[in-house]
Amino acid sequence: MAETRNFSIIAHIDHGKSTLADRLIQKAGLVTERDFRDQILDTMDIERERGITIKSQTASLPYRARDGEEYVLNLIDTPGHVDFSYEVSRALSSCEGVLLLVDATQGVQAQTQANLFMAMEHDLEIIPVINKIDLASADIDGAKDQIDRDLALDPESAVLVSAKTGEGVDELLEAIVRQFPPPIGDPTEALKALIFDARYDPFRGAVASCRVFSGAVRSGDIIRFMFTGKTHRVEEVGRFQIERVSSESLAAGDVGYLIAGIKTVADTRIGDTMTLDDRPADEALPGFRESKPMVFSSLYPVSSDDFMSLSESLEKYELNDAALVYTKDSSSALGQGFRAGFLGLLHLEIVQERLEREFNQSLILTAPSVEYHFHLENGSMLSVDNPTYYPDPMSISRAEEPYIRASIYIPDRYMGAVMKLCLERRAENSQLEYPSSGRLEMRFDMPLAEVVFDFYDRLKSVTQGYGSLDYEMLEYRTSDLVKVDILVNGERVDALSMIVQRDRARTRAVQACERLKETIPRHMFKIPIQGAIGGKIISRETINAFRKDVTAKCYGGDVSRKRKLLEKQKKGKRRMKMVGNVEIPQSAFIAVLKARDE
Amino acid sequence: MAGTTRPGLYVHVPFCRTKCPYCAFKSTTETARIGDWLSALEREAEGRRGLFGWYDTLYVGGGTPSVLSDADLRRLMGTLLGTFHFTRDLEATIEVNPGDVDEAKAELLYGLGFNRISMGVQSFVQPELEFLGRRHNAARALWSFDVFRGAGFESLGLDLIQGLPGQTVEARLESLKRAVELGPEHLSCYELGFEPGTPFYEARRKGKLSPPDGDAAAEGFLATSEYLEDSGFLHYEVSNYARDERHRSRHNRKYWRHVPVLGLGPAAHSFDGRTRWWNVPDVAEYCRRLGSGDSAVQETEDLGPDQLRLERLALGFRTREGVDRKNLGDVARAQSLLDRLVMEGLVTVSDTRVQPTREGLCVADGLARGFCDL
Ligand SMILES: Nc1nc2c(ncn2[C@@H]2O[C@H](COP(=O)(O)OP(=O)(O)OP(=O)(O)O)[C@@H](O)[C@H]2O)c(=O)[nH]1
Ligand code: SF4
Ligand SMILES: [Mg+2]
């Protein structure tokens, strides 16, 4: 029996986790030269296009150590972006150790620290790894200092590697088998296996990723989910190499997958414990802490007929994204849909894109909102993440919004532009630091709502792509909040309403009206577009009527062509939302959310 | 208001002496093929002999039918009269180019039974004619008009092209004024189009020609309508004006009212009330097919109730007769849109019909689009 080591690779975004995984996979000879591609574990198109990891991925690697022993190394590559930290926390629950990567050119950054704390909470063995030592700008001593000072880890235990060239990777493999403890757990006891991830396969149903803590499971067994109580016959178990590779059984200490013909997606809950029906465990493993959404938005199908299909897609999608939470929602303008909570804006964007790509949905998202607190005259407190539920202004005694501590890393030449942007966005309490020459770290307290709007796009634009942003939550702070409504042709479009700070209301209303004017096509009549607080109009635009809209000739040979055009336009109108007599295209709802380059 | 429901007969003459730079019409300058075309047409007519009963319109269009020689014209009419039944009050129209006619030709046409002329004048302003690449001059157009009157024609129509790049409203009215002074029974005023495949389209794409923008086009359209209606004409379709109801084109109204029409010749379209079919556009192919006993039909479409409804919207809003309210769809939503359109002065509404105003004709395609999905 080969010995097992279970570990995750964690780090700040872009510090080289997936590239390091590539080297480990190649050393294990899991893929041929021909099939290899960079960041091979980033399998989704959207990950490859954006060059970031979104989903944790598992790979089981065979390894013969210098002592001649055979090992199975179960590695989990995790995402570095803060919006996907829930992926990291679940991956950690199936490991005994972590490789904590530090980019030698960047040093310790926000997520290096955050991920370290998570590993410590799970009591995991930590090997610090200093990466990208092949680069001329690598500052190994600086990185060691920070590991010592900021992470309180032993800098001398750090392994130096270049994930790109493979330098140091052999030593790292030895450190893994030497320093990480083998999993403990008795394969003869009752089965306890934790589901830490899943995905929906249209042919096989749910494919659950699991870590077995005790006992064993093989195909043919009847398993029981301890939370839902549901039972299923196991069809297949196995390990993730690059593809799924089936095996006879999974036993205590193993990480792998399990397929049990589970078509009703609701049966599989991430965090549930599987046991054997005829020999159940006494108690379930501790599951996962629920993720806490920060940003909220409603999802509507472009065509109201597609609500059921969206509902089914969300159910399947949710399996693979445990951080998404949603409930039913409805809007008079957009019909039936869902209110969803996301870990951040990137998460929101990814959910939308994956639903569109993987499930063929066409969606309209409403303006992202944070969760506001309204203290009412009657002494109660109302949490509101949906502008629809903004309380009667007369009943509000005090309102609060969540603040963040933003850390912005930029080349110092952009300081002026970024400062200006931040002050526009109500940033306060600024601090500057120069981590290395030419680089600047700016820290601010800011309302989360400002970041949620278009801050990130604007930051990228004023720094020509060089700016990066991290943030951590601070407390709620008192704020003067109003609800801005948008009226199209005199009718309020509830899906466009937003809660904003009073001083920012006009700017935001003007912007929304401008965007709508650009995206709503001309009609046969003038269309006023207004922003309003209560009954008071604070911004206005007008879409002019088209003046001429008719072809000159229509005789025998033109009729058919004319009808076909009309048939096409009729189809196109199904992708529009009717508000009164006005057709609003999907793009208009999106445009309202997007930043404009100045 | 009601028109006849008897079928109409259309004959397509696909020949022109030269090709105009704005024209996307399938026509050829290979006049050597006229003989083949006539033979093919005779076969096609024979095959359609019993299709419909009595025709009350004949429309010989093109192309340029006036390129046909006297002998060709005699042969064509001989075939048609020998094959189909025509009512006594037949409206028989032929399109002519002012450069192609003289007294003898006009008398021949009259003698063959034509009683309505549609003359492709395009403009009475010399530089505009040159820009459009037309062979005739303005004086020739005026003269031709008198020739037809002299030959006995009581129903004369002129075709004009408007909306030339840089044309002011005053310049537009200039040609109209000359036309009105002649006293025709009918006027067609077409906005210059830039159709793919034409030299004008290319020139526009390259930025060498820029048509008037939407506002200018609308202003010109409305000014034309106002001027002609003030001069006693009836603006009865987007591009068509008649001295009175009787002089509206009986033939063209059949297309707009879904009345059956049999079309003969390359690219000609036919419709029997439910089914539409059309011939191959290429002259050589048309002749080859009929010569070898095949059908010239390129495509056939059967129209379901929804398709017929869409066509009624698309066609109806182009005419002052408008659309039967039954075609407007979902009543509540249609009503709210109608109220708005009435308020904007784009349509008027009666118990049974919705009729576009002058401003409504200017956005007729938009009106059809507004109701298409209700
Ligand atoms: N020169 C050099 N470049 C490296 C090294 N390791 C990674 N990179 C580069 O750094 C970039 C980020 O690498 P990834 O492996 O995608 O980083 P990651 O940590 O997986 O990023 P996320 O998954 O998005 O958090 C890529 O362009 C890599 O080619 C290294 O050792 N040397
Ligand atoms: S506009 Fe008339 S004459 Fe000129 S090419 Fe076209 S069909 Fe022939
Ligand atoms: Mg990665």
Side-chain angles (χ1 to χ4, degrees), chain A residues 549 552 554-555 560 563 573, chain B residues 190 239 256 301 311 362 369:
Chain A
D549 184 16
C554 188
Y555 300 112
S560 197
R563 185 200 71 242
K573 277 177 84 170
Chain B
Y190 299 113
S239 303
W256 305 328
E301 61 184 15
E311 290 194 356
C362 189
R369 219 162 45 234

Side-chain angles (χ1 to χ4, degrees), chain A residues 8 18-19 90 245 254 358 375 489:
Chain A
S8 293
S18 302
T19 308
R90 285 179 292 116
V245 177
D254 285 341
E358 295 170 32
H375 297 272
N489 201 21

Side-chain angles (χ1 to χ4, degrees), chain A residues 1-9 24 57-67 69-77 91-99 124-125 127 172-184 196 211-212 239-240 251-256:
Chain A
M1 254 301 272
E3 272 216 56
T4 301
R5 295 291 184 270
N6 299 315
F7 65 97
S8 293
I9 310 179
L24 297 174
Q57 286 292 344
T58 308
S60 293
L61 316 175
Y63 174 64
R64 176 193 282 266
R66 285 183 192 149
D67 59 12
E69 290 269 354
E70 297 287 343
Y71 291 89
V72 172
L73 308 183
N74 290 317
L75 93 82
I76 305 182
D77 177 31
L92 295 184
S93 66
S94 52
C95 295
E96 280 76 37
V98 295
L99 301 179
L124 304 184
E125 186 66 32
I127 302 179
L172 183 60
L173 281 163
E174 285 300 311
I176 288 168
V177 298
R178 205 173 51 238
Q179 294 184 39
F180 290 153
I184 41 172
F196 63 89
R211 158 74 196 261
V212 183
R239 287 170 219 284
F240 294 100
D254 285 341
V255 174

Side-chain angles (χ1 to χ4, degrees), chain A residues 208-388:
Chain A
S209 303
C210 58
R211 158 74 196 261
V212 183
F213 282 89
S214 66
V217 58
R218 48 181 54 77
S219 59
D221 285 349
I222 306 291
I223 48 153
R224 186 198 298 173
F225 292 96
M226 295 188 74
F227 182 84
T228 61
K230 294 276 169 59
T231 56
H232 290 275
R233 175 182 295 276
V234 178
E235 289 175 2
E236 184 181 320
V237 296
R239 287 170 219 284
F240 294 100
Q241 294 200 316
I242 294 303
E243 310 290 333
R244 295 197 297 255
V245 177
S246 66
S247 63
E248 208 159 290
S249 67
L250 290 177
D254 285 341
V255 174
Y257 68 88
L258 177 144
I259 296 174
I262 308 164
K263 300 282 187 199
T264 39
V265 171
D267 285 2
T268 332
R269 282 178 56 116
I270 309 295
D272 201 351
T273 302
M274 292 184 287
T275 189
L276 289 182
D277 192 41
D278 57 6
R279 191 187 163 205
D282 312 336
E283 59 176 10
L285 296 159
F288 300 113
R289 220 179 292 145
E290 300 238 321
S291 70
K292 188 164 166 21
M294 301 286 204
V295 177
F296 301 82
S297 164
S298 297
L299 309 168
Y300 292 94
V302 171
S303 162
S304 318
D305 307 342
D306 294 337
F307 174 75
M308 276 319 290
S309 150
L310 173 59
S311 172
E312 285 161 21
S313 301
L314 268 173
E315 235 179 72
K316 291 172 185 163
Y317 172 79
E318 186 193 10
L319 261 190
N320 196 233
D321 184 353
L324 177 71
V325 295
Y326 63 90
T327 54
K328 280 213 175 115
D329 192 14
S330 72
S331 141
S332 51
L334 301 179
Q336 277 196 300
F338 296 92
R339 188 76 185 167
F342 308 88
L343 291 185
L345 272 192
L346 179 62
H347 185 212
L348 175 150
E349 226 176 272
I350 298 291
V351 170
Q352 174 182 16
E353 212 172 310
R354 287 187 64 191
L355 283 168
E356 297 200 331
R357 287 187 184 203
E358 295 170 32
F359 297 91
N360 276 322
Q361 300 294 311
S362 300
L363 301 173
I364 289 175
L365 269 75
T366 62
S369 168
V370 301
E371 187 173 301
Y372 295 99
H373 289 171
F374 293 97
H375 297 272
L376 305 183
E377 294 292 356
N378 67 11
S380 64
M381 196 274 277
L382 196 64
S383 288
V384 174
D385 64 45
N386 186 341
T388 305

Side-chain angles (χ1 to χ4, degrees), chain A residues 489 522 524-528 545-564 566-567 569-570 573-574 578 580-581 583, chain B residues 190-191 215 217-218 238-240 252 255-256 269 276 301 303 307 310-311 315 318 333 336-337 340 344 346 361-367 369-370 372-373:
Chain A
N489 201 21
R522 288 185 176 208
M524 282 167 292
F525 36 81
K526 272 191 192 162
I527 304 167
F546 43 58
R547 299 290 318 278
K548 185 152 187 294
D549 184 16
V550 66
T551 53
K553 293 194 184 187
C554 188
Y555 300 112
D558 306 306
V559 181
S560 197
R561 197 172 343 118
K562 238 182 154 52
R563 185 200 71 242
K564 283 176 188 152
L566 202 52
E567 281 170 349
Q569 289 165 335
K570 181 176 167 182
K573 277 177 84 170
R574 270 193 236 133
M578 290 296 289
N581 292 317
E583 296 155 15
Chain B
Y190 299 113
E191 208 69 27
D215 284 354
V238 170
S239 303
N240 286 288
N252 284 336
Y255 297 120
W256 305 328
H269 283 58
R276 182 176 292 117
E301 61 184 15
L303 302 182
Q307 293 172 308
L310 286 183
E311 290 194 356
L315 298 170
R318 294 179 61 90
R333 270 174 70 199
S336 125
L337 181 56
R340 181 70 199 247
E344 299 289 332
L346 296 175
L361 287 176
C362 189
V363 294
D365 291 350
L367 292 172
R369 219 162 45 234
C372 71
D373 64 329

